[in-house]
Amino acid sequence: MSRTAFSWPHLGLIAAGGAVGTALRAGIIALGDPSWAWLSIPLINIVGAFGLGIVTGLAVRMGDVPRSRALRQFFGAGVMGGFTTYSTFAVQSVDAFSLLLALATVVAGTLAAWGGLVLGRRSRS
């Protein structure tokens, strides 16, 4: 994929997508059962990895065209970037149990991203 110069429309797509992703994450956490809060961030990150895999696969399949760039910017960098939250994930990973949960999340996230990438590449655009 080619490198594109900075433009305000690109930044606008990323910012708008980030707002959507952040609001979606906050809504899911707010609606969840507080006794399961420790699991919400890892699950959100795994779902986000899957979503980013799909976006990347679709973009690769479409080629380096303006529509593909807009898809990567809005959904990839924006929505999935705002939806996932690896800073909170890192802070949660400070004790032994959380370290095991972190490892499981990284493995599951990697598998989810791979699955999304395969699915995105195979879908019709």
Side-chain angles (χ1 to χ4, degrees):
M1 292 182 206
S2 68
R3 182 180 172 146
T4 59
F6 171 82
S7 76
W8 288 106
H10 294 166
L11 182 60
L13 283 171
I14 294 168
V20 169
T22 301
L24 187 58
R25 172 177 31 94
I28 288 170
I29 291 171
L31 292 174
D33 184 340
S35 65
W36 287 91
W38 60 274
L39 192 54
S40 62
I41 296 302
L43 289 175
I44 284 170
N45 287 334
I46 292 166
V47 169
F50 181 71
L52 185 57
I54 290 173
V55 168
T56 303
L58 286 171
V60 166
R61 185 173 171 91
M62 292 167 68
D64 192 20
V65 296
R67 219 173 93 198
S68 170
R69 280 183 234 123
L71 174 78
R72 289 190 324 262
Q73 291 163 350
F74 182 78
F75 287 105
V79 175
M80 292 299 113
F83 182 65
T84 59
T85 175
Y86 279 96
S87 57
T88 303
F89 173 68
V91 169
Q92 284 182 335
S93 303
V94 296
D95 64 34
F97 173 74
S98 294
L99 194 55
L100 290 173
L101 182 60
L103 180 61
T105 302
V106 169
V107 169
T110 301
L111 292 172
W114 175 79
L117 184 60
V118 169
L119 184 64
R121 284 184 173 176
R122 290 185 179 171
S123 68
R124 298 175 197 257
S125 50

